[in-house]
């Protein structure tokens, strides 16, 4: 009996398996378990030939028609495709998009790109138009006007969503198609939109409403970055009901969030152990118990939200894993008070998708250092921020596109991928 490559390529085959499962369900008219034999489930020769045509269109000539019967289950066939994809496309770029969360905003962000990139300008205007009925003001004008009010929660969240969406769509238009997406906090909304789980108009409504409701909460909350493990953090907040773990960004990088006085008590206990803390510049305690009063009102907005599953692998920082289920209203409600499990989600994405490059999508790099650490430094994928900071412009964007083997610069400078990718990851 021929040995099937299901286990060897299993982690790498997640994206192939998701795609294949959807196509098989299309031809059978119903979903089937990954381990069920396709011939026994009713896949006939006509449907198999159509499935092969889909495979060839999606992946190229990785397989022959008879391979559908040689590897008769979704899991086995996906494993075979993934290993062939890996073996024959060793130099093929596999880019994952990671969307930055709140705190990365700054006045004038992406102004250079807006001046010199027609594509970015077009997509920012598209997001701005979707947000306008809910924000009642242009977030594009706010961003480009160097307005310090961009730090207000009700404006920062829509502005970051617009920037993240526009940056990602600009890369996609240039030919960079992500193999997976992940978002930190508010960044999950742009990630879900790019992945097809949220329509742009729905995402705009949710983001604007979310930001406005958070802005209306009483001030007095705070957030504090601490260099401890998640287990140590859990012990620290156990006695403080108004403090929670709001984010786990790396093995020893945790953010605590909640009532300012309670955080100061935690800070005092950490000072006795010579553990330093750093308060973040925020007006509210995000992803903490102090967010609970706004959840019920936000849920009323969510009732009209149609749930959809992502069409790209979507790595949830709420679950800390690949989310294969539709992102229904409860997901976005729970996300408000739950910790951002960034480290778990990023680790899972890197292991399962094996990206060659990870692109941080945001106005300045915040997550790139964590991604490099989680990915194993120089042994892992190249980590590229699409914007390096306030002065980023179309030249920087062109460099990222070249490093990702996309856009016109790749054709003009065929050797740029190697040097550009390495410089970007240094």
């Amino acid at each position: 009996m021929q040995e099937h490559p299901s286990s060897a390529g299993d982690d790498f085959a997640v994206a192939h398996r998701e795609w294949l499962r959807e196509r098989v369900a299309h031809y059978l008219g119903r979903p089937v378990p990954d381990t069920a034999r396709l011939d026994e489930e009713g896949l006939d020769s006509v449907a198999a030939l159509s499935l092969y045509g889909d495979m060839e269109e999606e992946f190229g000539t990785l397989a022959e028609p008879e391979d559908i019967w040689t590897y008769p289950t979704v899991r086995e066939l996906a494993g075979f495709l993934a290993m062939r994809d890996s073996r024959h496309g060793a130099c093929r770029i596999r880019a994952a998009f990671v969307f930055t969360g709140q705190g990365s905003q700054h006045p004038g962000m992406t102004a250079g790109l807006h001046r010199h990139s027609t594509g970015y300008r077009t997509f920012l205007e598209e997001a701005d138009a979707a947000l306008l009925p809910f924000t009642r003001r242009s977030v594009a004008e706010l961003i480009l006007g160097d307005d310090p009010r961009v730090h207000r929660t009700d404006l920062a969240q829509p502005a970051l969503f617009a920037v993240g969406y526009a940056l990602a769509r600009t890369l996609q238009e240039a030919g960079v198609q992500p193999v997976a997406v992940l978002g930190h906090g508010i960044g999950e909304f742009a990630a879900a939109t790019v992945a097809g789980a949220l329509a742009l108009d729905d995402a705009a409504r949710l983001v604007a409403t979310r930001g406005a409701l958070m802005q209306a909460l009483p001030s007095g909350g705070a957030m504090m970055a601490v260099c401890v493990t998640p287990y140590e953090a859990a012990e620290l907040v156990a006695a403080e009901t108004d403090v929670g773990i709001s984010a786990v960004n790396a093995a020893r990088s945790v953010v605590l969030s909640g009532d300012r006085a309670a955080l100061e008590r935690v800070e005092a206990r950490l000072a006795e152990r010579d553990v330093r803390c750093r308060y973040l510049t925020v007006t509210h305690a995000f992803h903490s118990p102090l967010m609970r009063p706004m959840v019920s009102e936000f849920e009323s907005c969510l009732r009209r939200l149609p749930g959809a599953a992502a069409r790209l692998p979507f790595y949830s920082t709420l679950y800390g894993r690949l989310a294969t289920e539709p992102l229904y209203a409860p997901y976005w409600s729970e996300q408000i008070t739950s910790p951002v499990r960034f480290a778990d989600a990023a680790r899972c994405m890197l292991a399962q998708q094996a990206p060659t490059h990870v692109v941080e999508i945001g106005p300045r790099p915040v997550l790139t250092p964590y991604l490099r650490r989680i990915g194993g430094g120089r042994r892992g994928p190249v980590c590229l921020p699409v914007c390096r900071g306030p002065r980023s412009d179309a030249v920087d964007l062109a460099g990222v596109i070249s490093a990702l083997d996309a856009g016109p610069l790749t054709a003009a400078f065929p050797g740029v991928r190697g040097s550009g990718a390495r410089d970007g990851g240094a």
Side-chain angles (χ1 to χ4, degrees):
M1 187 177 195
Q2 182 167 346
E3 181 182 352
H4 299 313
S6 58
S7 59
D10 195 53
D11 281 348
F12 185 72
V14 170
H16 297 75
R17 195 161 62 245
E18 291 294 313
W19 177 88
L20 190 59
R21 185 187 295 126
E22 187 275 329
R23 296 317 299 153
V24 168
H26 170 76
Y27 288 113
L28 293 180
R30 68 184 191 287
V32 297
D34 288 358
T35 54
R37 288 182 61 94
L38 300 181
D39 53 351
E40 294 176 355
E41 291 292 331
L43 190 76
D44 58 26
S45 57
V46 175
L49 192 60
S50 297
L51 178 61
Y52 174 74
D54 293 345
M55 289 161 50
E56 190 174 42
E57 183 178 347
E58 181 75 11
F59 304 111
T61 54
L62 296 183
E64 299 295 333
E66 56 267 29
D67 289 323
I68 292 176
W69 310 121
T70 305
Y71 305 102
T73 69
V74 168
R75 182 173 291 273
E76 290 171 330
L77 185 55
F80 172 73
L81 288 173
M83 290 208 305
R84 295 276 299 203
D85 214 6
S86 175
R87 188 181 304 124
H88 294 163
C91 295
R92 188 168 63 90
I93 297 296
R94 291 176 56 82
F97 287 2
V98 176
F99 293 80
T100 320
Q102 193 164 348
S104 60
Q105 75 277 357
H106 57 81
M109 57 184 175
T110 70
L113 272 179
H114 188 270
R115 281 193 299 271
H116 302 298
S117 170
T118 303
Y120 177 74
R121 190 160 56 246
T122 298
F123 290 120
L124 185 64
E125 289 169 359
E126 184 180 342
D128 192 29
L131 286 161
L132 189 59
F134 313 106
T135 57
R136 303 297 182 186
R137 63 170 299 163
S138 167
V139 295
E141 290 179 6
L142 172 82
I143 293 166
L144 303 170
D146 217 27
D147 193 329
R149 286 179 296 176
V150 75
H151 293 296
R152 283 179 39 148
T153 297
D154 58 336
L155 300 176
Q157 294 190 10
L160 284 171
F161 170 77
V163 166
Y165 172 83
L167 288 173
R169 294 289 290 118
T170 303
L171 290 179
Q172 288 181 300
E173 185 183 51
V176 183
Q177 296 302 329
V179 297
V181 296
L182 181 157
H184 193 294
I186 192 66
E188 282 209 300
F189 289 87
T193 305
V194 169
L198 285 177
L200 176 58
D201 289 344
D202 287 331
R205 175 168 57 86
L206 296 184
V207 167
T209 303
R210 183 183 191 270
L213 290 174
M214 288 182 177
Q215 180 68 39
L217 290 172
S219 59
M223 300 180 75
M224 184 171 69
V226 187
C227 188
V228 296
T229 68
Y231 305 102
E232 291 170 324
E235 292 178 355
L236 286 167
V237 303
E240 302 288 354
T241 57
D242 288 334
V243 173
I245 298 173
S246 65
V248 178
N249 293 324
R252 294 188 64 82
S253 180
V254 175
V255 179
L256 305 181
S257 183
D259 177 71
R260 179 83 187 209
L263 278 176
E264 288 173 353
R265 290 192 292 272
V266 173
E267 182 185 20
R269 293 201 295 274
L270 287 169
E272 295 172 357
R273 295 158 45 183
D274 293 324
V275 176
R276 295 185 63 182
C277 307
R278 177 174 60 86
Y279 284 95
L280 307 185
T281 306
V282 294
T283 57
H284 293 85
F286 305 114
H287 298 280
S288 83
L290 298 189
M291 293 287 106
R292 287 176 188 147
M294 59 142 301
V295 171
S296 60
E297 192 169 352
F298 186 62
E299 286 175 340
S300 66
C301 171
L302 287 168
R303 291 193 190 104
R304 301 188 300 275
L305 178 70
R311 294 193 294 268
L312 290 172
F314 176 90
Y315 283 81
S316 161
T317 50
L318 172 62
Y319 300 148
R321 59 165 174 80
L322 176 69
T324 55
E325 55 271 68
L327 301 182
Y328 289 122
Y331 181 90
W332 302 109
S333 175
E334 187 179 352
Q335 193 230 30
I336 290 172
T337 55
S338 297
V340 177
R341 297 176 58 186
F342 175 78
D344 288 341
R347 197 174 294 115
C348 190
M349 181 186 73
L350 295 177
Q352 293 181 340
Q353 299 299 330
T356 60
H357 293 68
V358 180
V359 185
E360 181 172 356
I361 308 288
R364 63 183 178 88
V366 173
L367 303 174
T368 295
Y370 298 124
L371 290 163
R372 287 180 179 146
R373 195 184 315 168
I374 294 168
R378 291 186 178 274
R379 298 188 305 276
V382 176
C383 298
L384 296 169
V386 70
C387 286
R388 295 186 177 276
R391 297 183 182 276
S392 284
D393 56 21
V395 174
D396 295 326
L397 176 64
V400 172
I401 291 171
S402 296
L404 296 170
D405 262 0
L409 285 184
T410 302
F413 304 101
V416 77
R417 186 195 69 207
S419 61
R422 185 54 53 200
D423 290 344

